[in-house]
Amino acid sequence: MAHAAGAHRRSTRSYTSIVRANVLTLFNLILVVAGTATLAFGQWQDSLFLGVLVGNSTIGIAQEIRAKRALDRLSALVAPTATVVRDGTTEEIAAEDVAVGDLVRLQPGDQVVADGAVVESDGLLIDESILTGESEPVSRGERERVRSGSFAVEGAGAYIVDAVGAESYAERITGEARAFRHPRSPLERALNRLLLILVGVMIPLGSILGYALWHRHASLNQSVTTSVAAVVTMVPEGLILLASLTYAVAALRMSRRGALAQQLNAIESLAAVDVVCLDKTGTLTEARPRIVELVPAPGVTDAELSASLGRYAAASPSRNATLDAIAEAYPAPVERPRASVPFSSRLRWSGLSLADATYVLGAPELLPLGALAGHAQRGALDGRRVVALARTARALGPEGELPGELEPLGLVVLAERLRPDAQATVAFFRAQGVELRVLSGDRPETVIAIARDAGIHESEVVGRIDPEGKRRVVEELRAAGHYVAMIGDGVNDVPAMKASQLAIAQGSGTQMARSVADLVLVNGDFAAVPAMVAEGRKVLRNLQRVAKLFVTKSAFAAFLILTVGLTPTAYPFLPRHLTLAASLTIGIPGFFLALAPSSGRFVAQGFLREVGRFAAQAGIAAGLGVLSSYLWALNALGLGVRESRTVATTALVGIGLYLILVLEASGRLRGAAVSLLCLALAATYAFVLATHAGQSFFRLAVPGIGGLATAAVGVALAAVGLWLVDASLVPGRAGRPA
C-alpha cells in the first residue's frame, strides 16, 4: 500500500464487494433462474420470491453500507501516520500527505508508507512479509530501498521518498495489504459446508422430480409451477444474507464502544474463542510506564545516574516506552552516537557508543550487578519493571554480543499501573470458561506479580519469552484444538497475532500490530473485550437458532418431493404459498430474532451436526403434519385443490410459528416479545385469508370450520412428532436448545 489511504481503503469492504456479496450468490442465481422460468411459463404471482430476494438484498446492502461508513470513520483514528522532516522541522502527518522528496523517519512498528531509498540506518530491520511472503525481517542499510506496505521491526532509520500513490510498489502488485489474514470464522465455515450439502441434495432431488413430471406427461405450466415450488423451498435464501447483516450490525454496535472490526466475522469469532493470549504491557497494565525509583550502584550518585540515563535516552535513535519515560524524567541535549545496537525482544538490551564511553541498557540478569542484584530481584517480585544501566570503555562489538568490562551504574525501577478494569475483565473470562495466557518479555517474577493482582494464576504466565516463542505458544494451542485470540500492541506481538485465529490490537499500539488485527481497540480499553464477547455469543446463539428454521424449510421441501412430488396428486403448494409462509415464519421473524438480545448456551463445535439433526426431525414432522392435513382435506373432506392448498398453507404457517415459539421464547421478557411477534404474524396471515385481494393474489380460499380443524390437527401432529424426538420442544421448555 503506497500510503495510509491504501490501508484505510481496505480497512472495510468496498461498496462493490458489499453489493457483490449480497447479490451474486449461488442461491440467488438459482432463484433468478426459477423466477425467470415462472415469468415465462407460469403466472407472475408465483415469482413473488424475486421481490423478497430484491428486498432482502437491498436491506443487507443498506445495513452493511451503514456499518461500513461508521467503521471507516473509526478506522481513521488508527490510520497509519508518518514522521517526516520538512525544512528542518519534524512533524507527524497523515500518510496520504507524504510527498516525493520527503525525509521519513522510522521506528519499530512504523509502517513504510511510500517507496524510497534509505539515508540513515541504525540496525534497521524491515518486515516485508506482506509483500514477499518472506517471514524473516531483512536488514536495510544506506542506499538500499524500502517499499510501501512493509514495516520496521527493529532499529531505526530514515529514507527519502521517491514514489507514492499509483507509482509505489504495493499499488503495482496484487494481493498485498491484509490478504494473508482473512480466517473464516467457525460459523462461516459451517454455513459454507451447509450450503454445499444443500446444493448436493437439491440437484438429485430436482432431477428426480423433473423425471417424475416428464414420465406422467405433466403440462408445461404444471411442471414449472411444481418444480419452482419444490426447488425454491429448498433454498435458504436469506440465511447467508442474515449472517452478513448480523455481522454488520454487530460491528456497528461495537464501533460505538470504540472497537473497530477490520474483519466483520471477527465479532462472531470472539464467541468461539476458548483461549485468550495477551501481552502484559498495555493490556493488563496501562501502556505508559513511569519511573518510581533510581537505585545507583555503590560509588555512583543519584545525579550521575540520572545524567547518564538522560544522556542515553536523548542520544538513542531508536525509541520505546521505557526510553520515552526516561527521556521525559531526565531531559538532556541530543548527542549523535558513534555506534548503536537498538533494543529488540531477542537481545533484551540496547547499547550506545558516545564520545567518551559506551553504555548498555537492558535486562538486569544480563549485566553484572554486584550489590544491585537484590534490589533488582525485589523490584521484580513487587511487579515492577527493572532495567539496568552499565558503562564500559570498550566499543560495541558485533550485534548480539555484549561488550566486555561493563561497570554497573544503577537500576531504573518503572511502575506499570494495573488497569482499573483488568480484574473485572479477567473475572468475566473465567465465568465464560475462557482460559488466559499471559505472554510477556519481562521477567517472570514481574509478570506473575501483575497477573496475580489481575486474578490470573501463576501457571498461566510465561515470562522472558521472545516473539517467536509467543508464536509457538499460539500454534501449540491451536494444534491442541483450541480457538485462540491474541491481544497485543507491539512489534513483538505480531508473529503471535498472525498465528492466532483472532488478532486484537490496542489502538495505542504500533501501526504494524494494528495492520494485522481483526479487531482494534481504538481507545485501548481492555474492558471492551467482554462486551465484544457477549455480542459475539449473542450473534452466534441467534444465528444458530435462526439457521434451524431455514434448514428445516429445506428438509421439509425434500420430504414433499420424495412423497407427494413423485405421485400424480397435485402438489400441495404454489410457489406464492411457500413465499407467503416462509416470509411469515422465517424471513420476517429471522431479521428480528437474529439481532435481538438472547441468553442460553451456544455451540461453537458441532454446529452443522446439531442444525442438521434438528432440521431433519423438524422437517419430517412438519411434512407429516402438512401432508396429512392436505390429503385429508383433498380426499376425506372432498375440498377442491385451491381449498386443500389453503389448509396446507395454514398448517405450514401454524407449524412455523410453533417452531419460533419453542426455539426463541426463552425467559419472561423475550418470551413475551416473541409471543407478540408470533401473534402479529398470525394476524397478518389471517388478514390475507380474510380479504378478497389476499385470496385472489395468493389463490387461497376461506378454509371453513372443517378446513381450519384439519389444519389445526396437522399442526398438532407435527408438534407431537417434535415432542417425541426432542423433549426440549415441549411447550414450557422453550429456548432450551441452542
Side-chain angles (χ1 to χ4, degrees):
M1 60 194 86
H3 44 61
H8 181 51
R9 283 194 302 269
R10 282 180 286 268
S11 64
T12 58
R13 296 165 65 186
S14 66
Y15 291 109
T16 302
S17 174
I18 290 173
V19 172
R20 185 169 57 244
N22 283 277
V23 175
L24 301 181
T25 68
L26 174 60
F27 286 122
N28 280 359
L29 176 62
I30 293 172
L31 293 176
V32 168
V33 170
T36 303
T38 302
L39 290 172
F41 303 107
Q43 296 187 0
W44 70 269
Q45 293 93 332
D46 286 323
S47 62
L48 183 62
F49 56 85
L50 289 177
V52 176
L53 183 154
V54 172
N56 284 350
S57 297
T58 302
I59 293 171
I61 291 169
Q63 282 286 7
E64 287 205 45
I65 288 177
R66 180 174 173 235
K68 169 187 167 55
R69 289 173 176 169
L71 297 178
D72 282 346
R73 288 193 296 270
L74 197 62
S75 66
L77 301 176
V78 293
T81 59
T83 302
V84 301
V85 179
R86 291 175 175 171
D87 300 324
T89 302
T90 301
E91 57 182 310
E92 188 171 295
I93 64 173
E96 59 263 33
D97 295 332
V98 172
V100 173
D102 279 339
L103 174 67
V104 180
R105 297 201 174 278
L106 291 175
Q107 294 290 336
D110 285 352
Q111 180 178 330
V112 179
V113 297
D115 294 1
V118 176
V119 295
E120 297 177 20
S121 176
D122 181 33
L124 182 63
L125 291 182
I126 299 293
D127 182 335
E128 296 184 337
S129 59
I130 291 177
L131 304 178
T132 66
E134 174 58 49
S135 60
E136 292 297 321
V138 294
S139 176
R140 287 289 179 259
E142 293 184 15
R143 292 186 295 278
E144 293 186 305
R145 294 194 60 74
V146 291
R147 299 182 291 188
S148 58
S150 56
F151 291 87
V153 292
E154 284 188 20
Y159 65 98
I160 298 292
V161 174
D162 58 23
V164 297
E167 301 301 317
S168 64
Y169 179 82
E171 290 289 340
R172 289 186 279 109
I173 65 173
T174 58
E176 81 279 17
R178 305 177 65 254
F180 67 94
R181 270 202 62 83
H182 187 73
R184 294 291 179 185
S185 67
L187 184 61
E188 283 183 314
R189 293 197 299 270
L191 289 177
N192 287 339
R193 289 196 299 271
L194 173 63
L195 297 183
L196 288 174
I197 291 171
L198 290 178
V199 170
V201 171
M202 190 184 303
I203 293 173
L205 287 180
S207 301
I208 292 172
L209 178 60
Y211 175 80
L213 292 169
W214 172 81
H215 183 72
R216 59 178 188 260
H217 306 291
S219 66
L220 183 61
N221 182 280
Q222 181 188 0
S223 297
V224 169
T225 301
T226 302
S227 299
V228 169
V231 171
V232 166
T233 311
M234 289 195 67
V235 175
E237 64 271 9
L239 182 55
I240 301 302
L241 168 69
L242 199 60
S244 62
L245 172 64
T246 306
Y247 290 156
V249 173
L252 184 61
R253 290 172 177 170
M254 287 298 95
S255 71
R256 294 167 183 159
R257 294 187 171 98
L260 170 63
Q262 300 194 123
Q263 301 284 359
L264 285 181
N265 66 6
I267 300 295
E268 181 254 314
S269 281
L270 262 173
V273 166
D274 57 6
V275 177
V276 173
C277 297
L278 54 133
D279 190 13
K280 170 181 65 67
T281 305
T283 304
L284 292 178
T285 64
E286 295 177 348
R288 193 174 181 85
R290 56 190 176 85
I291 295 175
V292 294
E293 185 182 9
L294 292 185
V295 183
V300 179
T301 65
D302 285 348
E304 290 173 334
L305 177 57
S306 60
S308 297
L309 285 167
R311 187 182 179 197
Y312 186 97
S316 178
S318 179
R319 312 303 302 178
N320 56 42
T322 299
L323 284 177
D324 287 342
I326 293 173
E328 184 178 343
Y330 309 109
V334 176
E335 299 179 55
R336 186 177 180 85
R338 293 181 298 176
S340 66
V341 174
F343 177 84
S344 71
S345 300
R346 174 175 49 86
L347 295 177
R348 294 189 286 122
W349 63 272
S350 61
L352 292 178
S353 286
L354 300 179
D356 56 345
T358 294
Y359 293 89
V360 172
L361 183 72
E365 60 268 27
L366 299 178
L367 305 178
L369 295 184
L372 296 175
H375 288 280
Q377 182 72 16
R378 284 193 295 274
L381 292 174
D382 290 338
R384 306 296 194 187
R385 179 188 295 180
V386 182
V387 295
L389 181 68
R391 178 176 55 192
T392 181
R394 298 286 188 91
L396 287 170
E399 183 180 351
E401 294 185 13
L402 283 166
E405 301 179 8
L406 286 168
E407 170 196 356
L409 294 179
L411 302 175
V412 184
V413 182
L414 300 104
E416 294 179 294
R417 185 177 302 161
L418 188 70
R419 286 183 179 272
D421 47 43
Q423 291 179 333
T425 304
V426 169
F428 171 85
F429 282 125
R430 294 266 186 241
Q432 294 295 315
V434 177
E435 299 178 26
L436 297 174
R437 296 286 189 276
V438 181
L439 310 178
S440 175
D442 284 346
R443 290 182 62 159
E445 300 94 334
T446 304
V447 186
I448 288 170
I450 292 290
R452 188 187 301 118
D453 290 343
I456 298 174
H457 303 311
E458 181 177 337
S459 61
E460 299 171 313
V461 174
V462 181
R464 285 301 184 222
I465 186 171
D466 61 18
E468 287 305 305
K470 293 184 178 184
R471 178 185 59 79
R472 286 193 297 271
V473 169
V474 171
E475 289 176 343
E476 289 169 1
L477 288 168
R478 289 189 61 174
H482 293 288
Y483 200 88
V484 184
M486 175 69 197
I487 305 176
D489 62 353
V491 173
N492 60 329
D493 299 316
V494 169
M497 293 172 71
K498 287 182 178 180
S500 69
Q501 285 132 313
L502 181 67
I504 304 174
Q506 299 284 0
S508 58
T510 62
Q511 295 178 20
M512 188 177 188
R514 298 199 302 265
S515 76
V516 302
D518 302 300
L519 285 167
V520 179
L521 306 179
V522 177
N523 301 324
D525 187 4
F526 184 40
V529 178
M532 290 191 293
V533 171
E535 186 73 25
R537 294 195 168 180
K538 184 192 77 174
V539 166
L540 187 59
R541 190 162 43 233
N542 285 346
L543 282 178
Q544 286 176 335
R545 287 170 171 163
V546 173
K548 291 180 177 180
L549 297 176
F550 280 97
V551 183
T552 295
K553 179 168 76 81
S554 301
F556 168 76
F559 177 86
L560 288 186
I561 291 174
L562 293 174
T563 53
V564 69
L566 302 182
T567 70
T569 304
Y571 204 70
F573 302 101
L574 295 175
R576 68 191 79 174
H577 299 150
L578 293 167
T579 299
L580 175 62
S583 297
L584 293 176
T585 61
I586 300 175
I588 295 172
F591 276 104
F592 287 101
L593 298 172
L595 302 174
S598 66
S599 60
R601 69 185 185 93
F602 72 97
V603 181
Q605 302 295 329
F607 161 75
L608 190 58
R609 182 173 59 253
E610 180 165 338
V611 168
R613 179 186 63 82
F614 175 89
Q617 296 170 352
I620 292 173
L624 289 172
V626 168
L627 190 56
S628 61
S629 63
Y630 173 69
L631 294 176
W632 183 266
L634 190 65
N635 298 314
L637 298 183
L639 300 180
V641 172
R642 180 170 179 169
E643 290 77 10
S644 298
R645 284 173 169 167
T646 303
V647 171
T649 304
T650 304
L652 181 58
V653 170
I655 294 169
L657 295 179
Y658 173 80
L659 283 173
I660 292 174
L661 283 171
V662 296
L663 281 174
E664 300 289 344
S666 57
R668 179 177 299 177
L669 183 60
R670 183 182 175 91
V674 170
S675 298
L676 286 174
L677 175 62
C678 289
L679 285 174
L681 294 169
T684 302
Y685 179 68
F687 177 80
V688 171
L689 283 183
T691 60
H692 177 73
Q695 295 172 23
S696 175
F697 184 87
F698 288 103
R699 291 191 67 181
L700 296 171
V702 178
I705 298 299
L708 288 175
T710 300
V713 171
V715 174
L717 286 174
V720 171
L722 291 170
W723 300 349
L724 292 175
V725 297
D726 193 338
S728 64
L729 297 179
V730 176
R733 299 186 180 184
R736 293 279 181 88

